[in-house]
Amino acid sequence: MADDRPYHHGDLRATLLRAAVEVIAESGAAALSMREVTRRAGVSHAAATYHFGDKRGLLTAIAVDGYRALHAELAAAERERRSFLEVGVAYVRFALSHPAYFDVMFQPHLHEVADVELREAKRSTAAVLYGIDDGAPTNVAAGVAAWSLVHGLATLWANGNLPAQLGEDPEAVTRAVAAHLRVPRASTRT
Amino acid sequence: MADDRPYHHGDLRATLLRAAVEVIAESGAAALSMREVTRRAGVSHAAATYHFGDKRGLLTAIAVDGYRALHAELAAAERERRSFLEVGVAYVRFALSHPAYFDVMFQPHLHEVADVELREAKRSTAAVLYGIDDGAPTNVAAGVAAWSLVHGLATLWANGNLPAQLGEDPEAVTRAVAAHLRVPRASTRT
DNA sequence: TGTACATCAGTGAACGCGCGTTCACTGATGTAC
DNA sequence: TGTACATCAGTGAACGCGCGTTCACTGATGTAC
């Protein structure tokens, strides 16, 4: 029935990206292959090379999507709730609900480092992570502390390295754990 | 000149482990191959299978070594300095000076989960990470907060994801960053 | 001290496989006039 | 409205490669008597 599929797919680039994210979520970025991605998308195995140049190009495109999505989530959390803590919760939520993006994003050796879109996407995400206080120069060590904590928590959780007694709700755990962070007063203000 | 090498190596298991750690430190656990390891050790490519059963067995042996080494470092830091902070510094130091161990240790999907030695090595390391206060039941959330912070910091640092303005001394950065952690009073006592 | 035998440690050829990339190609669509 | 041509999007065969694992083997060492 699907054999009336036209020669031109129409949206193949996006379809390939979705398939790749699926594969990575299941088996990790290391296990990604161009062949598997095209197989899932139901196209010839050379199609991915046409769209992304090579494997690194595909992974770079995924990283760009990931940074943009994370940026959007963090910015929304900051805007809506103006709370330092809730930005951290949003970070952990993103990491756990988009493991494929998270996996690829923080392994720069998989990326085309020179890629302009990637650099810009990373830059604006970092701005939200550091510049929590709307332009006011934030204490960098405090920002790194907060980022490290949520990043480490998300990573340890995702890999199943945390004790079971913490329960099953990562957002609740994030709030409990992040309570041990001493943040600059200005950041918790409403 | 090395061709008077005897048929029996004498210490091949340890040599293979060292070679594997070398490869992983250079290219990551994903890039490890049994062939490359034996090539570096200068033996036939089937030798590694003889010693470890299969690739997963080799990676599991590396994880065991890693957990034991980390446990030793953390226990020493705790014993010598009795400071919560310095255990964290030791953790980061270990992660950055043994990237191969660190990489393999926290990717459980690479391990033989049922391996008895691995379970025991993980268990005793976790005990030091949580039970900082010599047997006194510690606040779990506080322990996870500290662990997450140093784990995240080490990970982000190792992958080059932290801003350059932090400088080049990871131990100093750890102390500055960990200062934002609110730890239970008992733990910082001398 | 000698000898037979078992076990251990490592070899090297062979297997089948999936991979990334290239290349000449073809089918479909867009554009100029 | 028609036609010629350029460009775009995707195909499928072919390449060479490194991999993990198996297997029958051999060389060296240990053990029993």
Side-chain angles (χ1 to χ4, degrees):
Chain A
M1 50 195 319
D3 280 8
D4 49 46
R5 192 191 302 132
Y7 192 95
H8 285 88
H9 181 285
D11 195 27
L12 187 49
R13 201 190 119 100
T15 301
L16 291 170
L17 284 169
R18 252 180 277 120
V21 162
E22 217 179 276
V23 175
I24 296 169
E26 289 168 20
S27 324
L32 184 75
S33 87
M34 301 290 262
R35 300 243 179 192
E36 176 63 17
V37 169
T38 50
R39 219 176 282 134
R40 293 214 185 191
V43 293
S44 92
H45 63 262
T49 301
Y50 176 76
H51 280 281
F52 301 102
D54 57 14
K55 194 179 177 182
R56 181 176 296 273
L58 170 57
L59 286 162
T60 301
I62 292 170
V64 169
D65 281 3
Y67 275 108
R68 286 181 182 160
L70 176 58
H71 174 262
E73 296 261 343
L74 297 183
E78 192 192 359
R79 204 179 323 111
E80 290 165 21
R81 290 177 285 255
R82 296 223 143 241
S83 145
F84 192 77
L85 177 63
E86 290 304 319
V87 174
V89 172
Y91 189 95
V92 174
R93 189 192 312 123
F94 177 86
L96 299 180
S97 60
H98 301 87
Y101 282 146
F102 202 71
D103 192 12
V104 175
M105 287 160 69
F106 294 100
Q107 292 193 256
H109 69 271
L110 300 175
H111 312 156
E112 200 87 66
V113 275
D115 188 272
V116 176
E117 293 193 311
L118 178 60
R119 295 171 81 98
E120 172 55 21
K122 283 185 81 162
R123 199 202 53 68
S124 59
T125 303
V128 183
L129 281 167
Y130 292 126
I132 296 290
D133 276 291
D134 295 334
T138 310
N139 178 339
V140 177
V144 171
W147 185 14
S148 294
L149 187 139
V150 290
H151 189 87
L153 181 61
T155 305
L156 290 169
W157 184 289
N159 291 335
N161 282 301
L162 291 175
Q165 67 185 113
L166 284 174
E168 305 214 326
D169 180 356
E171 302 198 17
V173 171
T174 302
R175 293 195 180 90
V177 167
H180 292 88
L181 207 53
R182 188 170 10 220
V183 287
R185 286 206 92 229
S187 306
T188 49
R189 176 189 51 189
T190 302
Chain B
M1 49 194 321
D3 280 9
D4 49 45
R5 191 192 303 134
Y7 193 94
H8 287 89
H9 182 284
D11 194 27
L12 187 50
R13 201 190 119 99
T15 301
L16 290 171
L17 284 170
R18 252 180 277 121
V21 163
E22 217 179 276
V23 175
I24 295 169
E26 289 168 21
S27 322
L32 183 75
S33 87
M34 301 291 263
R35 300 243 178 190
E36 176 62 18
V37 169
T38 50
R39 218 175 282 134
R40 293 214 185 191
V43 293
S44 92
H45 64 262
T49 300
Y50 176 77
H51 280 281
F52 301 101
D54 57 13
K55 195 179 177 183
R56 181 175 297 273
L58 170 56
L59 285 163
T60 301
I62 292 171
V64 170
D65 282 4
Y67 275 107
R68 286 181 181 158
L70 176 57
H71 175 262
E73 296 262 343
L74 296 183
E78 192 191 359
R79 204 180 320 112
E80 289 165 23
R81 293 177 283 254
R82 295 224 142 240
S83 145
F84 192 76
L85 178 63
E86 290 304 319
V87 174
V89 172
Y91 189 94
V92 174
R93 189 192 311 122
F94 176 86
L96 298 179
S97 60
H98 301 88
Y101 282 147
F102 202 71
D103 192 13
V104 175
M105 288 160 68
F106 293 100
Q107 293 192 257
H109 68 273
L110 300 175
H111 311 155
E112 200 87 65
V113 275
D115 187 273
V116 176
E117 293 193 311
L118 178 60
R119 293 170 82 97
E120 172 53 23
K122 282 185 83 162
R123 201 203 51 70
S124 59
T125 303
V128 184
L129 280 166
Y130 291 126
I132 297 293
D133 276 292
D134 296 334
T138 309
N139 178 339
V140 178
V144 171
W147 185 14
S148 293
L149 187 139
V150 290
H151 189 86
L153 181 62
T155 304
L156 290 169
W157 184 289
N159 291 334
N161 282 302
L162 291 175
Q165 66 186 112
L166 284 174
E168 305 213 327
D169 180 356
E171 302 199 16
V173 171
T174 302
R175 293 194 180 87
V177 167
H180 292 88
L181 207 53
R182 190 175 4 224
V183 288
R185 284 207 91 229
S187 306
T188 49
R189 176 188 55 191
T190 301

